[in-house]
């Protein structure tokens, strides 16, 4: 603490050198972090995947299943039932099929009280359990499929349900299972899966009285792992392995390696984020492929939204993945359910060999391809360099304040104990406190905004929220744009120091849970923040550019721009007016979904943006719009 509080510490040669080269050093650290991250995509800077858990014994069992004909039979029967009930799940048919296989069959009822309107939705999950003949139901494996009706906007999963039933029939006849196998068909996508998991573990993951999970009439052992199936045709050309879960959590790397290895053994093309492994002779092309795959994972993980039902298992310490199979779209070679069934059998039998929970391999990693990985010990270093530049800037401003205080003491011959009088502690604390109170109020405001919008203006939920948050954004901008005043250099500098420390600490904390979100936030905000300093009225060079840039980086505006860009990438042939309309609708829906996800599933993204990033943005906006006199050094 002496280095931070003793003004004499600023006279050291190292401190003087740091103060002289602060900006170049900070930008070198930032650039070094970005370049280092880009280099991690090169094979020379990452490692080949391998199995850490030898108990899996991958690929060493003799495969016995042949599920093709049985799957086809179940598929055509299911399609007939789906046509009879186009808007709901054929509960009776599924229960009957499970019962015919002599499984322990159970129906799980759940309901959702929509948080913004007095609407109640109900759903049912069907599951059957194959009890382990060689154990006492202490452990279990889940094989799940999300049911999608014929009129669903998502790709068909009827082939997956047919495969699940065929595999259940196969498993029922085997005597080597050491774990219970739960065959689960869920309704309403991730909502049904979250309700089932909450009921299975007796918890409420989101806010109370929203998702009513209900009770389960039957249970198996402690769930060790889960495989979610999403095959969209009876013959597939490739299988994509999905791993990203809620709030950026990932399954154990061994489970991902197991799936990729078993798919490759059956001669089916395997991918990650729809990127197929290609070895280019051109080193630049090879790097670009790995970097593109790496960035696709970082982008998806940063949102904190699960890209499959598997993503909801991770919070319960259950390793889970989704296998998604795609039908033929070109000249690709097709694989039937004989091969696909052998993949599912191999994975489940390998999981059956486990003597304990996954613990050997990595839980924190990035993937530049299906057979290479970047461990946490490698990818954290670039982010640390970027965040270090923020702390160095904070330390430099603090040292300048100490130097200024020391010179004032000498000049005025005041006591060291009077130095704190140069700071208006009340004013500084109030600005910081009100910024964070404002963020918390915004985080808790959706219900109020919807109530006002529906009662006074007869607006829909998404319109009420979008208009309200647009007004909040305008108010936060106009409040400081219209109020530019001179303040003491010491006060505004201390606010800047506190904001810098808060930003750096926040990024480090987020990185411990969701590295991709912390990385993207740091890459976007840090270079602009490094240029923000308390300034004098007469200093106007590049100031307007900073204002515009910082307005663009307003959390809500930045998210709107990101969604607009994502809309363009998905609809590149649309006209500008059509793209703008689609982007506008996507922004409204994304805002509603992010709030609902935080209430139902416990997603952090909305809370982080409103309660953390918005107050930090306001503090730096306060620093930028406050004029002061630059002290002589």
């Amino acid at each position: 603490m002496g280095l931070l509080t003793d003004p004499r510490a600023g006279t050291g040669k190292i401190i003087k050198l740091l103060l002289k080269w602060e900006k170049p050093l900070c930008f070198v650290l930032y650039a070094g972090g970005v370049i280092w991250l880009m280099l991690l995509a090169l094979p020379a800077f990452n490692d080949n995947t391998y199995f850490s858990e030898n108990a899996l014994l991958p690929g060493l069992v003799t495969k016995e299943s042949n599920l093709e004909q049985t799957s086809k039979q179940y598929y055509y029967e299911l399609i007939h039932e789906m046509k009879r009930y186009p808007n709901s799940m054929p509960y009776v048919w599924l229960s009957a099929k499970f019962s015919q296989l002599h499984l322990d069959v159970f129906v799980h009822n759940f309901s959702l009280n929509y948080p913004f309107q007095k609407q109640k939705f109900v759903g049912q999950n069907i599951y059957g359990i194959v009890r382990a003949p060689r154990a006492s139901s202490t452990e279990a494996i889940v094989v799940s499929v999300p049911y999608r009706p014929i009129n669903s906007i998502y790709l068909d999963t009827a082939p997956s349900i047919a495969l699940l039933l065929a595999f259940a029939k196969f498993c029922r006849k085997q005597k080597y299972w050491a774990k219970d196998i739960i065959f689960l068909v869920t309704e309403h996508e991730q909502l049904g899966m979250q309700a089932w998991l909450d009921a299975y573990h007796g918890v409420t993951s989101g806010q109370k009285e929203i998702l009513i999970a209900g009770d389960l009439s039957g249970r198996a052992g402690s769930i060790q792992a889960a495989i979610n199936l999403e095959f969209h045709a009876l013959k597939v050309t490739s299988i994509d392995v999905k791993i990203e879960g809620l709030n950026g959590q990932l399954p154990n790397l061994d489970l991902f390696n197991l799936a990729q290895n078993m798919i490759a053994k059956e001669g089916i093309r395997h991918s990650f984020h729809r990127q197929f492994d290609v070895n280019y002779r051109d080193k630049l092309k090879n790097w670009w492929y790995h970097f593109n795959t790496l960035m696709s994972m970082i982008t998806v993980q940063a949102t904190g939204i699960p890209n499959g039902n598997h993503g909801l298992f991770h919070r319960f310490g259950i390793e889970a993945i989704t296998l998604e199979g795609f039908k033929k779209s070109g000249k690709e070679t097709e694989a039937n359910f004989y091969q696909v069934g052998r993949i599912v059998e191999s994975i489940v039998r390998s999981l059956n060999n486990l003597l304990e929970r996954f613990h050997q391999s990595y839980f924190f990693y990035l993937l530049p391809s299906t057979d290479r990985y970047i461990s946490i010990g490698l990818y954290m270093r670039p982010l640390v360099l970027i965040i270090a530049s923020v702390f160095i800037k904070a330390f430099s401003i603090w040292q300048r304040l100490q130097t200024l205080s020391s010179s004032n003491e000498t000049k005025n011959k005041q006591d060291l104990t009077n130095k704190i009088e140069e700071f208006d502690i009340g004013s500084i604390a109030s600005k910081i406190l009100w910024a964070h109170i404002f963020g918390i109020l915004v985080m808790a405001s959706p219900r109020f905004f919807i109530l006002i919008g529906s009662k006074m203006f007869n607006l829909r939920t998404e319109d009420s929220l979008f208009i309200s948050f647009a007004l909040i954004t305008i108010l936060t901008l106009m409040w400081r744009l219209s109020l530019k005043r001179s303040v003491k250099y010491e006060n505004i500098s201390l606010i800047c120091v506190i904001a810098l420390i808060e930003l750096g600490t926040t990024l480090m904390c987020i990185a411990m849970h969701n590295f991709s979100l912390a990385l993207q936030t740091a890459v976007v905000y840090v270079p602009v923040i490094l240029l923000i300093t308390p300034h004098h009225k007469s200093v106007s060079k590049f100031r307007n550019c900073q204002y515009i840039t910082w307005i663009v980086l307003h959390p809500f505006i930045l998210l709107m721009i990101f969604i607009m860009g994502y809309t363009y990438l998905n609809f590149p042939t649309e006209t500008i007016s059509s793209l703008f309309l689609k982007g506008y609708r996507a922004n409204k829906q994304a805002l509603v979904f992010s709030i609902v996800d935080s209430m139902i599933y416990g997603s952090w993204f909305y809370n982080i943006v409103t309660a953390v990033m918005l107050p930090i943005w306001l503090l730096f906006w306060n620093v930028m719009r406050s004029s002061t006199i630059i002290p002589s050094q």
Side-chain angles (χ1 to χ4, degrees):
M1 290 297 294
L3 289 175
L4 294 178
T5 57
D6 187 358
R8 292 171 297 179
T11 60
K13 292 183 179 180
I14 296 178
I15 300 300
K16 289 182 178 179
L17 191 65
L18 178 64
L19 295 178
K20 181 179 180 181
W21 297 99
E22 171 215 336
K23 284 189 176 180
L25 176 61
C26 289
F27 280 101
V28 166
L29 289 174
Y30 174 83
V34 173
I35 294 172
W36 194 342
L37 178 72
M38 296 172 69
L39 289 176
L40 288 178
L42 286 172
F45 289 86
N46 49 60
D47 299 302
N48 287 312
T49 56
Y50 60 93
F51 286 100
S52 299
E53 182 55 80
N54 295 323
L56 285 169
L57 300 175
L60 297 183
V61 298
T62 301
K63 302 168 190 174
E64 302 172 358
S65 65
N66 187 348
L67 309 181
E68 183 177 11
Q69 294 303 321
T70 310
S71 297
K72 286 183 178 180
Q73 181 182 349
Y74 282 130
Y75 174 74
Y76 293 124
E77 291 181 20
L78 176 59
I79 292 297
H80 176 72
E81 291 294 321
M82 291 174 67
K83 290 178 180 178
R84 292 180 59 192
Y85 306 97
N87 298 316
S88 63
M89 190 164 75
Y91 312 107
V92 177
W93 184 87
L94 286 170
S95 297
K97 291 302 176 184
F98 279 138
S99 297
Q100 290 172 9
L101 298 176
H102 303 289
L103 274 63
D104 293 344
V105 186
F106 306 96
V107 177
H108 170 229
N109 298 297
F110 65 92
S111 60
L112 172 71
N113 295 318
Y114 191 66
F116 300 139
Q117 296 175 0
K118 292 183 178 179
Q119 288 181 296
K120 186 173 183 178
F121 302 92
V122 297
Q124 284 186 333
N125 299 321
I126 309 293
Y127 64 103
I129 303 175
V130 172
R131 300 293 179 181
R134 300 180 59 184
S136 56
S137 294
T138 56
E139 296 179 340
I141 302 169
V142 173
V143 181
S144 67
V145 175
Y147 177 81
R148 294 171 184 169
I150 292 178
N151 57 1
S152 174
I153 61 173
Y154 302 105
L155 294 175
D156 183 26
T157 57
S160 301
I161 298 177
L163 178 64
L164 178 139
L165 290 170
F167 185 58
K169 183 177 182 180
F170 166 79
C171 292
R172 184 66 181 84
K173 300 176 182 179
Q174 310 307 316
K175 302 299 182 183
Y176 46 68
W177 300 116
K179 296 176 174 62
D180 295 342
I181 304 178
I182 303 173
F183 297 93
L184 171 65
V185 181
T186 60
E187 193 176 16
H188 301 315
E189 297 294 328
Q190 294 179 7
L191 195 63
M193 181 59 76
Q194 184 63 61
W196 189 85
L197 286 169
D198 282 356
Y200 196 92
H201 295 90
V203 299
T204 300
S205 298
Q207 295 183 11
K208 294 183 178 180
E209 303 303 324
I210 294 181
L211 180 60
I212 310 300
D215 297 318
L216 295 183
S217 52
R219 283 181 171 81
S222 173
I223 302 174
Q224 305 294 299
I227 307 296
N228 185 57
L229 306 179
E230 292 184 11
F231 295 101
H232 308 307
L234 290 177
K235 291 185 177 181
V236 298
T237 58
S238 63
I239 297 178
D240 193 69
V241 182
K242 296 181 176 180
I243 58 174
E244 288 83 3
L246 183 69
N247 297 322
Q249 282 189 274
L250 301 173
N252 188 276
L253 185 57
D254 271 344
L255 182 57
F256 174 81
N257 295 339
L258 174 65
Q260 295 287 2
N261 188 277
M262 296 301 100
I263 296 170
K265 278 185 175 294
E266 291 300 324
I268 303 177
R269 297 185 72 194
H270 53 105
S271 63
F272 176 64
H273 281 283
R274 300 295 293 143
Q275 299 286 331
F276 300 97
D277 287 349
V278 181
N279 292 319
Y280 293 102
R281 292 184 178 180
D282 188 330
K283 291 185 178 180
L284 182 60
K285 287 184 177 180
N286 199 42
W287 168 82
W288 176 249
Y289 159 73
H290 288 91
F291 181 71
N292 192 32
T293 306
L294 176 64
M295 291 309 299
S296 65
M297 178 182 177
I298 289 175
T299 302
V300 173
Q301 188 185 19
T303 64
I305 301 172
N307 58 350
N309 280 3
H310 69 278
L312 300 174
F313 284 87
H314 299 156
R315 67 161 16 126
F316 299 97
I318 302 169
E319 311 311 317
I321 57 172
T322 288
L323 303 180
E324 185 174 14
F326 296 90
K327 62 182 180 180
K328 187 174 184 178
S329 60
K331 297 181 180 180
E332 305 98 335
T333 303
E334 291 181 318
N336 56 32
F337 269 17
Y338 169 70
Q339 296 165 275
V340 174
R342 287 162 64 90
I343 292 171
V344 177
E345 179 197 358
S346 300
I347 295 174
V348 175
R349 290 187 67 177
S350 294
L351 295 174
N352 186 60
N353 294 335
L354 282 177
L355 302 175
E356 52 190 337
R357 287 184 178 273
F358 282 99
H359 67 282
Q360 293 276 9
S361 192
Y362 293 95
F363 292 91
F364 300 94
Y365 53 88
L366 296 176
L367 299 173
S369 67
T370 63
D371 59 352
R372 303 195 69 84
Y373 76 101
I374 304 168
S375 69
I376 185 173
L378 293 176
Y379 68 65
M380 282 297 291
R381 297 172 189 177
L383 181 60
V384 169
L385 283 183
I386 296 174
I387 296 175
S389 64
V390 176
F391 285 112
I392 288 176
K393 181 178 176 64
F395 181 73
S396 299
I397 295 175
W398 178 255
Q399 282 299 323
R400 290 190 176 94
L401 284 175
Q402 298 299 312
T403 303
L404 178 64
S405 299
S406 179
S407 62
N408 288 340
E409 283 178 27
T410 303
K411 182 178 179 180
N412 300 324
K413 297 182 180 179
Q414 292 179 343
D415 234 335
L416 187 63
T417 56
N418 295 328
K419 180 177 63 176
I420 195 161
E421 295 178 1
E422 298 176 9
F423 298 105
D424 188 349
I425 301 300
S427 175
I428 295 170
S430 65
K431 286 182 173 61
I432 296 171
L433 183 62
W434 279 113
H436 288 82
I437 290 175
F438 179 75
I440 293 173
L441 289 175
V442 171
M443 181 182 69
S445 63
R447 292 179 186 270
F448 174 75
F449 291 150
I450 292 170
L451 179 64
I452 297 297
S454 60
K455 297 294 184 182
M456 297 183 63
F457 304 102
N458 198 27
L459 295 174
R460 295 182 303 173
T461 297
E462 59 183 22
D463 292 323
S464 298
L465 287 175
F466 186 81
I467 292 172
S468 300
F469 278 84
L471 290 175
I472 288 175
T473 303
I474 293 172
L475 287 174
T476 55
L477 296 175
M478 295 303 298
W479 177 62
R480 274 295 166 187
L481 283 173
S482 60
L483 181 63
K484 185 175 180 180
R485 57 181 181 174
S486 297
V487 295
K488 292 178 65 175
Y489 171 79
E490 292 83 358
N491 291 346
I492 203 64
S493 295
L494 188 57
I495 291 176
C496 188
V497 169
I498 294 172
L500 286 166
I501 294 175
E502 183 179 1
L503 175 65
T505 305
T506 298
L507 291 176
M508 289 300 295
C509 293
I510 295 175
M512 295 296 102
H513 299 277
N514 189 341
F515 168 81
S516 298
L517 178 58
L519 175 68
Q520 290 194 356
T521 304
V523 169
V524 172
Y525 278 93
V526 169
V528 181
I529 286 173
L530 293 179
L531 296 173
I532 297 177
T533 52
H535 63 283
H536 187 262
K537 292 180 180 179
S538 61
V539 180
S540 59
K541 189 177 181 181
F542 303 120
R543 188 62 58 181
N544 291 332
C545 293
Q546 287 188 15
Y547 290 156
I548 295 172
T549 304
W550 196 242
I551 289 172
V552 170
L553 292 183
H554 189 288
F556 299 142
I557 296 177
L558 186 63
L559 290 175
M560 289 178 61
I561 294 172
F562 176 81
I563 294 172
M564 285 289 187
Y566 184 77
T567 304
Y568 172 75
L569 291 176
N570 283 274
F571 305 97
T573 58
E574 296 283 343
T575 61
I576 295 178
S577 58
S578 177
L579 280 173
F580 182 81
L581 183 61
K582 287 181 182 294
Y584 169 69
R585 292 173 179 170
N587 272 288
K588 292 196 298 182
Q589 293 174 356
L591 180 60
V592 175
F593 290 156
S594 64
I595 297 171
V596 171
D597 285 351
S598 69
M599 293 180 171
I600 297 176
Y601 304 108
S603 175
W604 302 338
F605 188 81
Y606 169 75
N607 299 333
I608 289 175
V609 170
T610 53
V612 181
M613 291 309 301
L614 181 59
I616 291 175
W617 186 93
L618 287 171
L619 290 177
F620 282 111
W621 186 233
N622 190 12
V623 173
M624 293 179 69
R625 295 299 298 171
S626 298
S627 300
T628 184
I629 299 175
I630 300 178
S632 57
Q633 299 296 322

